[in-house]
Amino acid sequence: MRSVTLYNGVKMPMIGYGTLQITDPAQCEQCVGDALACGYRLIDTAAVYGNEPAVGAAVGQSGIARKELFITTKLWVQDAGYDSTLKAFDTSIKNLGLDYVDLYLIHQPFGDYYGAWRAMERLYAEGAVRAIGVSNFFPDRLVDLCMNQEIKPMVNQMEIHPFYQQIEVLKVMQAYGVTPQAWGPLSEAQKNIFQYKTLVKISEKHKKTTAQVILRWHDQRGIPTIPKTIHKERMTENLNIYDFTLSEKEMEAITAMDLGHSEIIDHRCFCTARQLNSVKIHD
């Protein structure tokens, strides 16, 4: 598995397995177990997903040495704040059945994420996490956080795919040494992406699926991804992207697909802030 090195020296796999919306415990445990058996070593979960115990169970039953795994979880908006972050992390670590996590992220740029970040700096200093970062932070909030804290985020997990390429956002992240990681790298199948003519033409040339072409496009841009599927054959397919290379012309053709906006969620809309702040994961 190829990896990218975060600015603190920690290596993160380029392709991980995402568990968003896999809420049934038995199914989640099976899917994560299948992903690990297929060769995935990065597993991405979050407190708000409600599946940390199932992820932890699958990891524990895998027989894979802990040092070979990269486990990510995320702090929900409800628990932003110094003391509440420490408490939420303790809950997540117990749910996962682990002694530490490899990457802990602030899931959304809402609530007291400054207090949360100070708590995460403490967890990092204590060795409870190997790396800390954020998710869905656009340049204004990312730069503000970078300039006003002792430790800069090591990762910013963002929506990135051919229809929403975040080109300018990526430039800012690069300037501050923050590694991007793409959630929804396959656009959550929006806009019939798997049948998009440009991608189909490229996939036919390389005798690959459109999903493999998209993930290879991400990889050649240097962007780690966390594709999600519940089908084991597709898990294997999503890993098998290193036996072909997209030409410069093909990369440019995919770049031309950029719409410049999300059709999944708008993090700069007041209604998104209201909606996400309203989601409670505990009393």
Side-chain angles (χ1 to χ4, degrees):
M1 172 66 69
R2 290 182 53 181
S3 63
V4 61
T5 302
L6 309 182
Y7 78 74
N8 68 337
V10 168
K11 293 185 180 298
M12 182 174 75
M14 283 293 290
I15 304 178
Y17 180 67
T19 63
L20 174 66
Q21 297 175 342
I22 310 178
T23 55
D24 178 76
Q27 183 184 45
C28 183
E29 188 174 334
Q30 179 67 51
C31 286
V32 172
D34 287 344
L36 292 169
C38 288
Y40 289 85
R41 291 298 177 262
L42 188 160
I43 305 297
D44 179 275
T45 183
V48 75
Y49 297 172
N51 60 16
E52 288 175 325
V55 169
V59 167
Q61 294 170 16
S62 70
I64 300 170
R66 176 65 182 91
K67 64 181 180 180
E68 295 180 18
L69 299 173
F70 193 102
I71 309 300
T72 299
T73 194
K74 310 179 193 77
L75 174 78
W76 187 241
V77 180
Q78 181 183 4
D79 293 318
Y82 187 85
D83 292 334
S84 53
T85 294
L86 296 177
K87 183 178 179 180
F89 178 78
D90 186 57
T91 298
S92 286
I93 209 83
K94 288 177 179 176
N95 283 339
L96 289 163
L98 301 175
D99 296 324
Y100 67 92
V101 297
D102 298 275
L103 179 61
Y104 196 37
L105 303 177
I106 295 177
H107 204 155
Q108 305 288 350
F110 304 120
D112 181 15
Y113 60 82
Y114 271 91
W117 189 254
R118 290 192 293 271
M120 290 169 68
E121 287 179 326
R122 171 179 166 177
L123 292 168
Y124 178 67
E126 293 175 348
V129 296
R130 297 177 65 223
I132 53 178
V134 295
S135 180
N136 301 306
F137 273 55
F138 278 82
D140 51 349
R141 300 204 180 197
L142 179 66
V143 171
D144 188 53
L145 188 64
C146 286
M147 295 182 68
N148 290 288
Q149 300 299 316
E150 292 184 11
I151 302 175
K152 295 182 299 183
M154 293 146 197
V155 172
N156 186 12
Q157 191 180 100
M158 300 282 291
E159 177 190 352
I160 306 174
H161 49 76
F163 293 135
Y164 192 35
Q165 299 180 22
Q166 305 271 31
I167 293 171
E168 295 306 315
V169 176
L170 291 172
K171 289 178 182 178
V172 174
M173 291 169 62
Q174 182 178 30
Y176 283 85
V178 181
T179 297
Q181 185 181 49
W183 67 256
L186 302 175
S187 187
E188 296 187 350
Q190 297 283 320
K191 295 183 70 64
N192 209 25
I193 192 169
F194 298 126
Q195 283 74 47
Y196 198 86
K197 289 183 178 179
T198 297
L199 298 173
V200 170
K201 182 178 179 181
I202 296 172
S203 69
E204 289 175 346
K205 176 183 175 182
H206 292 282
K207 295 182 172 56
K208 289 290 184 177
T209 66
T210 50
Q212 288 173 314
V213 167
I214 295 168
L215 292 173
R216 184 61 170 145
W217 171 78
H218 282 291
D219 185 84
Q220 288 183 215
R221 296 177 79 207
I223 300 174
T225 58
I226 47 170
K228 171 239 173 175
T229 177
I230 61 172
H231 304 288
K232 190 173 182 179
E233 63 274 15
R234 290 178 185 165
M235 295 177 191
T236 299
E237 174 187 300
N238 290 344
L239 286 178
N240 293 333
I241 63 168
Y242 294 112
D243 57 353
F244 74 106
T245 300
L246 298 175
S247 68
E248 183 176 344
K249 185 176 180 179
E250 289 168 335
M251 292 290 287
E252 291 174 352
I254 299 174
T255 297
M257 292 171 56
D258 192 12
L259 298 175
H261 63 269
S262 172
E263 295 195 345
I264 298 174
I265 187 170
D266 182 359
H267 278 89
R268 289 181 168 173
C269 178
F270 77 90
C271 57
T272 299
R274 183 172 59 195
Q275 176 190 2
L276 295 181
N277 272 282
S278 298
V279 175
K280 307 301 181 186
I281 62 174
H282 56 76
D283 295 333

